[in-house]
Amino acid sequence: MSRPAIPVSVKGRAVLPQLIVTADDFGLAWEVNEAIELAHRNGILSAASLMVAGAAAQDAIRRAGALPHLRVGLHLTLVEAKPMLPPEQIPRLVDGRGSLRKDLARLGLELAISPSARAQMRAEIEAQFAAFHRTGLVLDHVNLHKHYHLHPVVAREVISACRHFGARALRIPFEPRTVLRLIAAEPVEPLSPAVTALTAWLRGRVRAAGLLGPDAVFGVCWSGQVTTERLSKLLQHLPCGIVEIYTHPASENVFEGSAAGYRYRDELEALCAPEVLRQMTRIGLASIGYSDLAGTAFS
């Protein structure tokens, strides 16, 4: 679903909900790619974030080429995934099996204190951006696996790469808990002071760099758990501004690379649910991509 770009701000302030519905992990597996295509053709999914080093990346690129209204961005993976560069070129970033590391806290410390670790991270970031450029797809947005750009060192390198490669939108994972409390059946924990501070810092850096970022993002608390009920209720309480809902649909719940506990099929069903489609029509919304927003120039 898409619509022409319309103004979204008055005197620099966003005043209308502009909804972007994204699927992460495009290219991770055939099951993910299949679900993304189905959710875009038959549901409210408007954008997908490509893992350029994913096992099914070429299948994702082929599908994207046949879906002209699907907005495709780069899902940068610096942890818990396969790297783009050969492991021997980035030994500080990989484990003994050649996969990107899972010890996020320790890696974060090393990135803060080690120039060689930062140089290897920069090389991997540039390699993934370059791989996306080679696809020939228009770069709609950038986001990071595990929101690892909340780490200031990572954020600086990612923002620099966004500007170098012509990306104009970067996800800011700010999820208003006040909205979740209106619709959640279970208690919603407040954001920690550290996450609140890092998110505010990231927003300032994104804006200072002239990049576009969402005013609110949903999918953090309910990662892998965006059910039909939750999505339908969320659509009734969208805040003003640019709002991104990110999801993880797949045609099967278990596949190579799947995360334990994720309700992949439920998320696919939610994106295509008749009640969700009716809700979108009732409130007069259509899901778009970042490149559909007025007043932005994308390359």
Side-chain angles (χ1 to χ4, degrees):
M1 301 175 65
S2 63
R3 62 178 172 181
I6 63 173
V8 298
S9 65
V10 174
K11 295 182 179 179
R13 291 183 58 84
V15 296
L16 296 174
Q18 299 295 295
L19 179 61
I20 299 164
V21 182
T22 309
D24 284 355
D25 299 344
F26 196 27
L28 173 64
W30 182 92
E31 292 84 352
V32 174
N33 299 348
E34 176 73 4
I36 287 173
E37 180 171 350
L38 289 171
H40 177 65
R41 290 187 183 276
N42 304 320
I44 68 169
L45 187 73
S46 56
S49 305
L50 177 65
M51 298 175 71
V52 292
Q58 291 306 309
D59 176 68
I61 294 165
R62 178 188 61 78
R63 291 175 190 265
L67 299 169
H69 297 296
L70 180 67
R71 307 310 185 198
V72 182
L74 173 61
H75 190 56
L76 267 172
T77 54
L78 300 177
V79 295
E80 298 185 10
K82 177 185 175 183
M84 193 72 208
L85 291 174
E88 58 269 20
Q89 292 186 22
I90 49 170
R92 301 295 297 271
L93 304 187
V94 298
D95 60 21
R97 298 181 178 180
S99 297
L100 291 166
R101 290 166 53 176
K102 296 181 180 180
D103 54 339
L104 277 60
R106 183 176 178 85
L107 175 61
L109 176 61
E110 292 180 19
L111 290 171
I113 64 177
S114 170
S116 64
R118 291 195 295 273
Q120 291 174 28
M121 177 189 65
R122 186 180 308 118
E124 178 63 22
I125 290 171
E126 292 176 355
Q128 292 187 33
F129 268 92
F132 188 99
H133 179 74
R134 291 193 296 271
T135 69
L137 297 169
V138 175
L139 181 57
D140 181 79
H141 59 269
V142 175
N143 52 56
L144 270 77
H145 194 50
K146 300 294 183 180
H147 307 304
Y148 206 54
H149 58 315
L150 285 175
H151 189 307
V153 171
V154 178
R156 292 188 184 98
E157 296 295 345
V158 171
I159 289 172
S160 176
C162 283
R163 299 185 69 180
H164 178 75
F165 285 91
R168 291 293 310 280
L170 179 63
R171 181 185 291 164
I172 302 164
F174 169 69
E175 186 172 52
R177 298 302 169 89
T178 53
V179 175
L180 296 186
R181 292 190 183 102
L182 291 174
I183 59 181
E186 66 282 348
V188 177
E189 294 294 326
L191 289 171
S192 71
V195 170
T196 299
L198 287 170
T199 304
W201 176 87
L202 178 61
R203 185 181 301 281
R205 297 287 298 191
V206 167
R207 290 177 173 174
L211 301 176
L212 184 66
D215 297 295
V217 167
F218 295 96
V220 181
C221 274
W222 296 334
S223 185
Q225 312 289 328
V226 181
T227 62
T228 299
E229 181 181 8
R230 284 172 168 172
L231 182 56
S232 182
K233 289 181 178 179
L234 180 57
L235 291 175
Q236 300 175 46
H237 294 89
L238 292 179
C240 293
I242 302 170
V243 179
E244 181 181 355
I245 301 173
Y246 76 90
T247 62
H248 298 86
S251 59
E252 301 293 339
N253 282 328
V254 179
F255 53 88
E256 186 69 29
S258 61
Y262 271 35
R263 298 166 63 178
Y264 292 100
R265 284 184 57 86
D266 286 348
E267 294 212 357
L268 171 58
E269 292 174 5
L271 291 166
C272 301
E275 53 264 53
V276 168
L277 294 169
R278 288 195 296 268
Q279 184 73 9
M280 292 282 286
T281 300
R282 188 159 51 245
I283 60 182
L285 278 177
S287 50
I288 59 174
Y290 285 98
S291 50
D292 295 306
L293 296 173
T296 59
F298 289 74
S299 61

